[in-house]
Amino acid sequence: MKLDPFYLIVDSAAWIERLVPLGVRLVQLRIKDMDEGRLRAEIRKAKALCARHHCQLIVNDHWRLAIEEGCDFVHLGQEDLQAADLSEIRAAGIRLGLSTHDHAELQTAMAARPDYVALGPVYPTILKTMKWEPQGLERVRVWKGRAAAIPLVAIGGLNPERLDGVFGAGADSAAVVTDITLNPDPEARTREWIDKTEQWR
């Protein structure tokens, strides 16, 4: 499986409606605290928008709702992985991405036979408090060596200026949140990411 090298992560269907039409081909809907009814509506709207613009939607965490809403890709963190029913996810034909931060987590992830693994934070990040130090490019190289044919997603503190190093170290896709959503001009920054990652597409 090949992932688009530009992996956008946003927390609402409104962001998807705003940015995906610019040419985004891979987006994760990552919503943490929301009641099920509103969450279902967000997933449903995001799915429709992505279908309209030929963009792959990945639903973070909420794998049961993803199955019920007919989505085809979910991303799980390590804690969510422990609670998830992988056989049910696979039976629904859903592809799976998994977060990793250290060697033990990578081993756990690989045992689940994911469609991609993510490593982070590569650089310092302001998205959330992490107990892990920034991994650096050498860890990206090591992870790619261990993941082999499974696509590797780099995440954490990435911006267009750091992409040459990240892809040079072996990453297949670069995930971004705040470099776009906190930018004064998210649309212009999104176009910059699309242009910069074109060479790896």
Side-chain angles (χ1 to χ4, degrees):
M1 185 191 74
K2 180 173 173 56
L3 290 177
D4 193 88
F6 172 37
Y7 185 157
L8 176 64
I9 301 176
V10 294
D11 62 2
S12 71
W15 273 117
I16 290 177
E17 187 170 26
R18 183 174 172 182
L19 299 179
V20 163
L22 301 176
V24 177
R25 292 289 171 259
L26 180 65
V27 65
Q28 181 188 126
L29 181 64
R30 182 182 184 273
I31 300 175
K32 288 300 182 182
D33 298 307
M34 185 177 287
D35 65 80
E36 184 173 317
R38 290 172 58 218
L39 180 59
R40 185 185 297 276
E42 285 284 299
I43 292 173
R44 192 170 291 176
K45 181 177 180 182
K47 183 186 174 206
L49 287 164
C50 287
R52 187 180 312 150
H53 294 283
H54 309 289
C55 177
Q56 174 64 60
L57 174 66
I58 299 177
V59 176
N60 182 270
D61 292 350
H62 306 288
W63 60 273
R64 290 189 187 279
L65 280 177
I67 291 174
E68 292 170 11
E69 291 302 318
C71 299
D72 60 5
F73 216 137
V74 298
H75 179 95
L76 300 177
Q78 291 282 320
E79 291 182 5
D80 302 294
L81 174 61
Q82 302 307 317
D85 187 333
L86 292 184
S87 61
E88 189 174 342
I89 291 171
R90 293 300 188 192
I94 291 183
R95 287 175 289 176
L96 177 66
L98 297 174
S99 293
T100 66
H101 306 88
D102 57 36
H103 289 285
E105 289 190 352
L106 179 60
Q107 188 171 352
T108 298
M110 296 295 280
R113 297 181 295 110
D115 294 280
Y116 75 76
V117 292
L119 169 66
V122 177
Y123 293 99
T125 176
I126 61 172
L127 178 62
K128 56 183 176 179
T129 303
M130 291 268 193
K131 66 179 181 181
W132 297 276
E133 293 296 315
Q135 308 279 359
L137 295 180
E138 184 54 38
R139 181 64 69 89
V140 174
R141 291 187 186 91
V142 171
W143 247 234
K144 187 55 185 175
R146 296 185 63 187
I150 298 175
L152 175 64
V153 176
I155 185 171
L158 300 187
N159 57 43
E161 294 71 34
R162 288 171 166 167
L163 293 180
D164 287 331
V166 166
F167 286 110
D172 298 285
S173 186
V176 56
V177 187
T178 57
D179 186 65
I180 287 177
T181 59
L182 295 185
N183 192 280
D185 189 342
E187 286 82 2
R189 194 62 160 176
T190 296
R191 292 188 184 97
E192 188 176 349
W193 270 80
I194 291 171
D195 290 344
K196 179 67 176 181
T197 52
E198 180 60 39
Q199 60 187 298
W200 297 286
R201 194 158 279 112

